[in-house]
């Protein structure tokens, strides 16, 4: 742990721990962070509500992760590559994914599942860690093309126990690929606590095995995440290779809406943590003491965000029902016989075309 101290810029009271970026963190920039965190939280609340009302399928909530997702996404440059997981739609939205299409994704429409047209954002990886070698490949391709674009891969603590994590980091370090491995350590892989998942004290220390820098950052501190990722991206663009960042976060909600966390976590403790550690609350306290906070400003942005989200929901609900053929048509460019057979069987069972 001593070798990987937790990097912080503001503490739980919103006060400075480290003033290195004080000048850059002016009112406009601080408000930009808050705006995006509020936007993705509002989106997330809508996602859970829609699932509970039976209007979308399973939804993956991310409260507690807002600082990590916004801080990292706002560190990227226009043409960088983002490789998110199922929990990182907050990061995708912040980087520029289309909100309307994000809701279509939850409704099973194919338009919502294809790579983003707006930005270099890959479809969310549901298989754990399989996208880490892909991110490494995209980063190496940018080196071949002679650009200074980089890639960022998002993944959880559980993902670091997968072979693909090792393969992605190993090859990236050998080729000095411009990629940032951005881990959100929320201490759980579904219901499995981290102590039962791994024997290492931190995730950052796993960087040693690949000869790359490992950075441990307070993931509830949006500023600390932002500058840790920015510094890693700068190293990547200079040809200095990958970095492993461990952002320590608390997942306030369920793993997905199909999970009941009261079976394996003390809900009272979570409620205490929400009050003490919420990344939005921390930023609000910081803004208050710097005189940047205004209720009127928050009400205005909140109202704009609600309008934007409600309009996306209307578009989602007026879109045609998802076509079951889409599940098969986008797996291979030429379908294998097993895929063709499954598609035919589902059609006979009354698949939806
Ligand atoms: C290759 C693979 N194995 C197992 C699963 C089932 N699974 C879904 S989420 C999950 C836990 C992942 O935990 P973590 O990496 O910590 O991410 P988090 O959900 O906490 O964001 C598992 C095992 C999967 N999706 N893919
Ligand atoms: Mg986890």
């Amino acid at each position: 742990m001593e070798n990987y101290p937790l990097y912080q810029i503001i503490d739980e009271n919103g006060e400075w721990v480290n003033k290195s970026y004080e000048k850059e963190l002016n009112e406009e920039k601080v408000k930009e962070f808050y705006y995006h965190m509020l936007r993705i939280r509002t989106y997330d609340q809508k996602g859970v509500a829609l699932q509970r009302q039976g209007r979308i399928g399973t939804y993956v909530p991310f409260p507690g992760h807002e600082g990590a997702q916004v801080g990292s996404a706002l560190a990227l440059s226009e043409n960088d590559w983002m490789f998110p997981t199922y929990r990182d739609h907050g990061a995708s939205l912040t980087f520029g994914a289309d909100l309307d299409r994000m809701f279509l994704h939850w409704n099973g429409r194919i338009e919502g599942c294809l790579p983003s047209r707006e930005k270099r954002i890959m479809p969310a990886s549901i298989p754990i860690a399989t996208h880490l070698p892909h991110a490494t490949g995209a980063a190496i391709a940018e080196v071949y093309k002679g650009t200074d674009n980089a890639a960022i891969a998002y993944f959880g603590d559980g993902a670091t126990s997968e072979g693909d994590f090792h393969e992605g980091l190993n090859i990236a370090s050998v080729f000095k690929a411009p990629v940032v491995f951005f881990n959100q350590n929320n201490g759980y892989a579904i219901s499995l606590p981290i102590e039962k998942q791994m024997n290492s004290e931190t995730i950052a220390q796993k960087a040693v095995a690949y000869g790359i820098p490992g950075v441990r950052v307070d993931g509830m501190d949006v500023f600390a995440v932002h500058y840790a990722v920015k510094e890693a991206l700068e190293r990547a663009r200079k040809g200095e290779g990958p970095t492993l960042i461990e952002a320590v976060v608390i997942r306030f909600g369920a793993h997905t809406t199909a999970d009941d966390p009261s079976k394996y976590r003390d809900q009272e403790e979570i409620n205490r943590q929400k009050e003490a550690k919420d990344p939005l609350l921390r930023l609000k306290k910081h803004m208050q003491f710097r005189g940047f906070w205004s209720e009127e400003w928050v009400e205005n942005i909140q109202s704009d965000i609600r309008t934007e989200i409600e309009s996306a929901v209307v578009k989602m609900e007026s879109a045609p029902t998802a076509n079951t053929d889409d599940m098969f048509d986008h797996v291979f460019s030429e379908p294998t016989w097993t895929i063709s057979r499954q598609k035919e069987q589902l059609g006979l069972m009354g698949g939806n075309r």
Side-chain angles (χ1 to χ4, degrees):
M1 208 78 96
E2 295 116 47
N3 291 333
Y4 296 95
L6 198 68
Y7 177 51
Q8 281 187 320
I9 291 188
I10 53 172
D11 64 16
E12 285 171 22
N13 298 318
E15 281 161 26
W16 294 116
V17 174
N18 161 357
K19 288 194 168 185
S20 314
Y21 292 101
E22 184 183 8
K23 269 219 178 85
E24 209 176 298
L25 288 168
N26 57 27
E27 180 165 359
E28 192 189 347
K29 192 152 173 90
V30 171
K31 280 185 163 169
E32 190 189 358
F33 283 117
Y34 194 86
Y35 164 78
H36 283 288
M37 285 163 78
L38 185 65
R39 179 170 179 255
I40 66 171
R41 175 159 292 181
T42 311
Y43 162 88
D44 189 85
Q45 287 165 343
K46 191 74 196 177
V48 174
L50 288 170
Q51 192 281 332
R52 295 291 184 240
Q53 292 160 4
R55 291 158 70 188
I56 60 170
T58 305
Y59 176 79
V60 189
F62 55 77
H65 288 240
E66 293 91 342
Q69 296 197 13
V70 167
S72 54
L74 290 182
L76 297 171
S77 295
E78 184 71 17
N79 292 319
D80 288 340
W81 290 89
M82 179 182 272
F83 288 76
T85 74
Y86 49 81
R87 200 180 303 288
D88 304 309
H89 24 293
S92 304
L93 277 176
T94 306
F95 189 39
D98 184 281
L99 183 79
D100 295 343
R101 289 182 64 219
M102 292 294 276
F103 274 110
L104 289 173
H105 165 88
W106 297 112
N107 212 13
R109 295 280 322 164
I110 191 67
E111 307 89 300
C113 304
L114 299 173
S116 164
R117 280 187 298 263
E118 301 75 31
K119 279 287 178 68
R120 292 172 158 184
I121 305 172
M122 297 310 282
S125 183
I126 311 290
I128 305 301
T130 53
H131 57 308
L132 272 60
H134 304 166
T136 298
I140 293 173
E142 291 296 339
V143 176
Y144 275 116
K145 288 194 280 183
T147 75
D148 70 349
N149 301 326
I152 185 166
Y154 288 74
F155 54 101
D157 40 294
T160 68
S161 302
E162 290 277 0
D164 297 273
F165 167 80
H166 167 76
E167 292 168 34
L169 270 72
N170 184 61
I171 203 77
S173 63
V174 171
F175 280 86
K176 289 208 176 305
V179 53
V180 177
F181 294 105
F182 185 69
N183 175 261
Q184 288 167 90
N185 174 7
N186 60 17
Y188 283 89
I190 314 183
S191 54
L192 188 74
I194 194 162
E195 320 76 77
K196 291 190 180 165
Q197 166 88 230
M198 62 190 70
N199 198 33
S200 43
E201 222 177 321
T202 69
I203 285 173
Q205 76 194 55
K206 298 188 185 195
V208 172
Y210 311 99
I212 63 172
V215 178
R216 197 157 189 264
V217 54
D218 183 343
M220 313 297 266
D221 173 352
V222 64
F223 299 156
V225 171
H226 183 70
Y227 289 106
V229 173
K230 232 174 156 186
E231 287 164 20
L233 285 166
E234 274 161 25
R235 278 197 296 279
R237 294 189 216 286
K238 278 194 279 183
E240 292 174 16
T243 303
L244 172 61
I245 297 179
E246 173 187 3
V248 182
V249 295
I250 302 168
R251 190 192 85 202
F252 292 146
H255 170 69
T256 69
T257 52
D259 166 53
D260 175 4
S262 67
K263 298 269 187 242
Y264 58 90
R265 286 175 90 186
D266 176 356
Q267 292 307 296
E268 276 176 26
E269 173 60 18
I270 297 286
N271 288 337
R272 274 193 294 276
Q273 287 177 338
K274 270 189 203 166
E275 271 173 37
K277 295 184 189 284
D278 184 341
L280 274 87
L281 204 55
R282 185 186 294 203
L283 189 55
K284 176 181 175 180
K285 287 179 188 162
H286 180 76
M287 289 170 77
Q288 280 172 327
F289 100 76
R290 291 184 72 193
F292 299 163
W293 184 260
S294 135
E295 290 297 334
E296 197 191 336
W297 173 76
V298 178
E299 277 164 28
N300 283 340
I301 58 166
Q302 180 71 87
S303 147
D304 291 350
I305 291 168
R306 287 221 174 92
T307 309
E308 184 194 13
I309 290 175
E310 288 309 325
S311 137
V313 173
V314 169
K315 286 185 198 149
M316 174 189 82
E317 297 200 313
S318 49
T321 313
N323 183 338
T324 51
D325 282 356
D326 290 340
M327 285 195 288
F328 307 101
D329 291 345
H330 298 272
V331 182
F332 297 105
S333 58
E334 293 295 326
T336 60
W337 71 268
T338 44
I339 294 260
S340 300
R341 194 181 60 179
Q342 286 172 26
K343 178 172 161 180
E344 199 183 306
Q345 285 171 337
L346 191 66
L348 292 174
M349 284 159 59
N352 191 0
R353 293 214 166 100

